[in-house]
Amino acid sequence: MIYKIVNIIFSGLFILLTLLFIMSDWPLWPLPLLVVLYAIFMLVVSTNVQFNFFVKAYNKNPDFVENAVALSFDDGPDENSMKILDILDKYEAKAVFFCIGKKIEEKPEIFREILKRGHIVGNHTFSHTRRMGFLSSKRILEEISECDRVAQEVGGVKMNLFRPPFGIINPKTRRALLRSGHTVIGWNVRPYDAITKSPQVIINRITKKLERGDLILLHDNREKTPDILEQLLVILKQRNFAIVRPDKLFNINAYN
């Protein structure tokens, strides 16, 4: 709805400025300026799922009844995922793992182990291509559907949750999701662990302003993640934060 309203506003302004230019001595420069501003605006809102601009995404729930946060892991399954699962077991914590379809094919036993230990899984597309923002809606739908197919074949689950690679949501992704029917999960705590070397910097970014209902994004394909996770869970316990799965945090269904 917001997307449609913004398009109507920009279109109306463009038509108005065009008419002013044709029918009066109004200068031409506002027209290209408006186009540039629109392009910049669309780029910004397309690269951050938290804006909820094209689709509704669940990013946090400050009204949750418990003093709790949720953990999410992207880009697995990975050999590293097993260490993460052991640490989560140690602290009796549950999480969501947004899995890449081709990695599920490569590591089916780890995918099944995630499910066996009481965690939930979500769709992170089949290939996690860096060209995600340039794919057609048809191709995006194929990426989502193929990941669903593999997850169902390997783990017997029909995933309802979807997290877009790199947080990219644009009109083409929106059209694909309208057809697939997935529920979009974002985040509101992103420590950039995939590009930051220092574990302490990552932990500080997570814990500095952590609040009830926050959803933390981490990556289980990074060697430093298990150590970061264990330190984080100790801090969360000290601060009396419980850990809940995102489906419970947002009261939504993980599977269809």
Side-chain angles (χ1 to χ4, degrees):
M1 180 60 72
I2 299 175
Y3 168 56
K4 292 181 179 179
I5 292 172
V6 170
N7 272 347
I8 290 171
I9 292 172
F10 270 101
S11 298
L13 286 172
F14 186 85
I15 292 170
L16 176 62
L17 291 174
T18 302
L19 290 174
L20 287 172
F21 172 72
I22 294 172
M23 301 174 65
S24 67
D25 294 329
W26 194 268
L28 179 62
W29 65 263
L31 278 173
L33 177 61
L34 180 66
V35 172
V36 170
L37 289 174
Y38 178 76
I40 293 173
F41 176 80
M42 294 298 285
L43 177 63
V44 171
V45 297
S46 294
T47 53
N48 193 330
V49 68
Q50 295 182 63
F51 282 119
N52 282 346
F53 186 74
F54 296 105
V55 298
K56 174 179 173 55
Y58 291 90
N59 301 303
K60 67 177 297 184
N61 182 11
D63 299 321
F64 191 64
V65 292
E66 298 179 55
N67 185 40
V69 297
L71 296 170
S72 63
F73 298 90
D74 284 9
D75 297 356
D78 187 87
E79 291 294 340
N80 216 35
S81 304
M82 295 303 299
K83 297 177 183 178
I84 291 170
L85 290 174
D86 289 341
I87 293 169
L88 290 171
D89 281 351
K90 178 180 176 181
Y91 291 88
E92 299 181 339
K94 302 300 180 185
V96 60
F97 290 77
F98 286 97
C99 298
I100 299 170
K102 65 180 182 180
K103 287 193 172 183
I104 298 174
E105 288 184 329
E106 294 168 1
K107 308 287 184 183
E109 69 287 347
I110 297 178
F111 184 74
R112 285 190 286 264
E113 188 66 22
I114 292 171
L115 293 168
K116 181 181 177 181
R117 299 204 194 186
H119 306 284
I120 58 173
V121 292
N123 189 313
H124 204 39
T125 72
F126 181 78
S127 68
H128 198 278
T129 174
R130 292 187 177 276
R131 298 185 296 107
M132 189 70 187
F134 303 98
L135 298 181
S136 67
S137 58
K138 179 182 178 182
R139 187 71 190 92
I140 294 170
L141 181 60
E142 289 172 352
E143 282 274 340
I144 295 171
S145 300
E146 189 66 6
C147 185
D148 276 347
R149 179 192 63 78
V150 175
Q152 190 159 15
E153 288 181 358
V154 173
V157 290
K158 189 174 182 181
M159 298 182 294
N160 177 48
L161 307 182
F162 172 76
R163 174 173 281 168
F166 315 106
I168 294 175
I169 292 281
N170 57 30
K172 293 176 291 185
T173 313
R174 177 178 180 272
R175 287 193 291 272
L177 288 168
L178 286 174
R179 293 188 62 184
S180 73
H182 286 75
T183 298
V184 180
I185 303 294
W187 60 78
N188 76 305
V189 179
R190 185 182 190 180
Y192 294 96
D193 58 312
I195 58 175
T196 302
K197 292 183 179 180
S198 169
Q200 193 56 53
V201 169
I202 293 169
I203 292 170
N204 290 343
R205 285 174 180 167
I206 296 172
T207 59
K208 186 176 181 181
K209 297 181 180 179
L210 199 64
E211 297 178 335
R212 174 197 302 254
D214 283 351
L215 175 54
I216 301 165
L217 165 64
L218 290 168
H219 293 80
D220 51 330
N221 64 338
R222 304 291 165 173
E223 288 187 10
K224 58 182 177 286
T225 301
D227 290 337
I228 290 170
L229 175 62
E230 182 140 28
Q231 292 181 61
L232 174 61
L233 290 172
V234 170
I235 294 171
L236 293 177
K237 186 175 182 180
Q238 291 171 346
R239 295 190 185 181
N240 296 316
F241 278 112
I243 311 294
V244 297
R245 294 187 332 199
D247 57 328
K248 298 184 183 300
L249 181 66
F250 301 118
N251 192 28
I252 55 178
N253 294 322
Y255 308 114
N256 292 317

